[in-house]
Amino acid sequence: MATYHFLEARQCVLEQILAARGVPGVEKVSLADAAGRVLAEPVCADRDYPPLARSIRDGFAVRASGFTGSARVVGEVRAGEQFRGEVGEGEAVEIMTGAPVPDGADAVIMVEHVERSGDRITTTRKVSPGDFINPRGSEAARGAVILPRGKRIGFAEIAALAMTGVTEVPVYLKPRVAILATGDEIVPVEAVPHEYQIRNSNACSLAVQVQNAGGEPVILPVAPDEFEATRKLIEQGLTFDLLLLSGGVSAGKYDIVERVLLSLGAKFYFDRVLIQPGQPLVFGRVQGRFFFGLPGNPASTMVTFEIFAKAAVELLGGQCSVNLPILYTRLATDFRHKPGLTRFLPARLSEDGTQLAPVPWQGSSDVVAIANANAWLVAKADQEEYRAGDWIQVLIR
Ligand code: AMP
Ligand code: MG
């Protein structure tokens, strides 16, 4: 079975899903409900933007050709109105930011750059055609695509929809994602566990991660480490658009998830990735549905979702592009790790984003440390030693 470096594994997920996904169904939602959804139709400019040449400064609109450094102020134009008349040579119209540039004028001189005396302004600045003017249609020409189909809608996209008067937004139906936690020791969150039992925190964190990726999570009952019961629940999970399993994919005697999936005819694209936490990650397809077998330790489940399953949910939701937010920052302290695997460790990114400090932890079961971190330090498989001040990769959370 295939073992991949983490970027190869991610590439494999993207390729398999892009090759197999269909077009999701479409619904219309109001603009107020559109944030977080994915556009099912491109959005086009309903008119030129800006619709008229517009001043981008408070100042004076003049005709640049023949301008001698002085002009007579013949009127004023504010945002929300249009100047009647034309600006001639040697004339100026006082203009506010956002106001349409009067006919005859082709440059704006900033108010900070003029001396005014009575109805005359003078400036020592050179004035050229186009100064401080956004020409008509310079941001978008009428009919141009301003948002492509498949774009996830955030606050800037909401502004573009609102600007063009789209009040009913066609969006793709959210992919329904089944979450199936496995393990005899796992009990519902409401339960009072025995000391040897653990509440099902993975299903809860995964549900939030699925929602953040634009999917609709559905939490199934916990599967015990028993073949028939697990098989029944996996079959139920395969009626959804994507199945996320947690636990049961390591090498232990009762890690039966892969065997159950095989019995259902599953194809595995990989079942090991050179990362920690999350090394025994499984990705495959059965009965036309993709599944991930995420290792059960909370850090493993969270990290493998972020790196691999998140993109799967986003693509199944019709998104035209996805990205993995790994950036560079600087280490706050010396740091070393055992090379060979790419490591994702809980860390704190400073408020200004320039410093990253590892958060001490007890390993991938340590939810307390993860909850007190705000990012993942990414330690390269081929670099053992890092010094304070070195560049280091960080996965944004
Ligand atoms: P596994 O991958 O099944 O070997 O699980 C590894 C460890 O992860 C288990 O011993 C539990 O401590 C923990 N774990 C597994 N499933 C969950 C879950 N749903 N919620 C919280 N912790 C879990
Ligand atoms: Mg288990």
Side-chain angles (χ1 to χ4, degrees), residues 181-182 185-186 198-202 246-248 250 255 295-298:
T182 72
E185 76 280 32
I186 309 304
I198 290 171
R199 292 195 184 94
N200 187 6
S201 64
N202 284 350
S246 124
S250 303
D255 290 327
N297 262 311

Side-chain angles (χ1 to χ4, degrees), residues 174-180 203 206-207 209-211 213-220 236-245 289-292 294 305 309-310 312-314 316-317:
K174 294 181 185 183
R176 299 184 73 225
V177 180
I179 296 173
L180 176 54
L206 281 173
Q209 289 178 292
V210 166
Q211 271 168 342
E216 188 181 313
V218 178
I219 297 177
L220 301 182
Q236 195 182 327
L238 292 174
T239 64
F240 292 81
D241 297 311
L242 178 67
L243 169 60
L244 301 178
L245 291 129
R289 303 297 158 122
F290 289 101
F291 61 82
F292 287 89
L294 311 175
F305 182 93
K310 181 178 174 215
V313 175
E314 290 171 337
L316 291 171

